[in-house]
Amino acid sequence: MASPPPWVYVATAEPFDAEMAARIAEHRSRRGGQWRTIEAPLDLASAVTGAPASATVLVDCLTLWLNNLMFNNRDIDTETQRLETALAARRAPSVLVSNEVGSGIVPDNAEARRFRDLQGRLNQRIAARADRVLLLVAGLPMVVKGQP
């Protein structure tokens, strides 16, 4: 929120159950009225492209987006390329939230291992294009790439 408004919150979560619906409602209530929300569980590239050119965009989050793509049998490489193209065209700040899922134990099933591997590759692709990458550990930001 250090950038001047307008701010665009691109939400990738879907309320598949009551607990997730409650989480989404809590997120909405914390944002306040100056945020414009775009729900984009699958077509993240179009949401980024459709945001006002001068608006700061916050995408929350790539991990849920990847989950949605997998669940809907989408071509992940194609969708990631579309997202990269949309981000490259933006001039206003873009902030993308993602989870680091490769630091824990190796999952016990093939689909979970596939997700972990795809999430790692997605994070690498986005980080390679980013000017700045932060890793939050226990709420503390650690600069991985770029200036503090």
Side-chain angles (χ1 to χ4, degrees), residues 72-83:
N72 287 279
N73 297 311
R74 297 289 182 99
D75 184 321
I76 292 160
D77 189 56
T78 298
E79 293 299 324
T80 301
Q81 183 58 53
R82 288 184 62 233
L83 175 59

Side-chain angles (χ1 to χ4, degrees), residues 1-9 35-36 51-58 90 92-95:
M1 294 175 63
S3 300
W7 306 308
V8 175
Y9 186 94
W35 288 88
R36 174 180 167 214
S54 63
T56 297
V57 169
L58 171 62
R90 288 193 47 78
S94 301
V95 178

Side-chain angles (χ1 to χ4, degrees), residues 72-143:
N72 287 279
N73 297 311
R74 297 289 182 99
D75 184 321
I76 292 160
D77 189 56
T78 298
E79 293 299 324
T80 301
Q81 183 58 53
R82 288 184 62 233
L83 175 59
E84 289 174 312
T85 300
L87 290 167
R90 288 193 47 78
R91 297 296 164 244
S94 301
V95 178
L96 289 83
V97 176
S98 190
N99 293 289
E100 171 53 56
V101 298
S103 296
I105 62 171
V106 176
D108 69 347
N109 66 80
E111 190 67 4
R113 288 189 298 273
R114 178 174 172 256
F115 174 79
R116 182 203 56 186
D117 293 347
L118 288 169
Q119 184 66 57
R121 286 193 282 279
L122 174 60
N123 288 346
Q124 288 173 17
R125 285 177 70 169
I126 297 301
R129 295 178 177 274
D131 295 327
R132 188 170 183 212
V133 176
L134 299 176
L135 175 65
L136 292 175
V137 177
L140 302 173
M142 298 177 8
V143 177

Side-chain angles (χ1 to χ4, degrees), residues 34-68:
Q34 293 188 340
W35 288 88
R36 174 180 167 214
T37 300
I38 300 173
E39 294 185 12
L42 293 170
D43 194 359
L44 188 50
S46 291
V48 169
T49 300
S54 63
T56 297
V57 169
L58 171 62
V59 175
D60 188 10
C61 78
L62 293 178
T63 309
L64 287 174
W65 176 63
L66 175 63
N67 175 74
N68 297 340

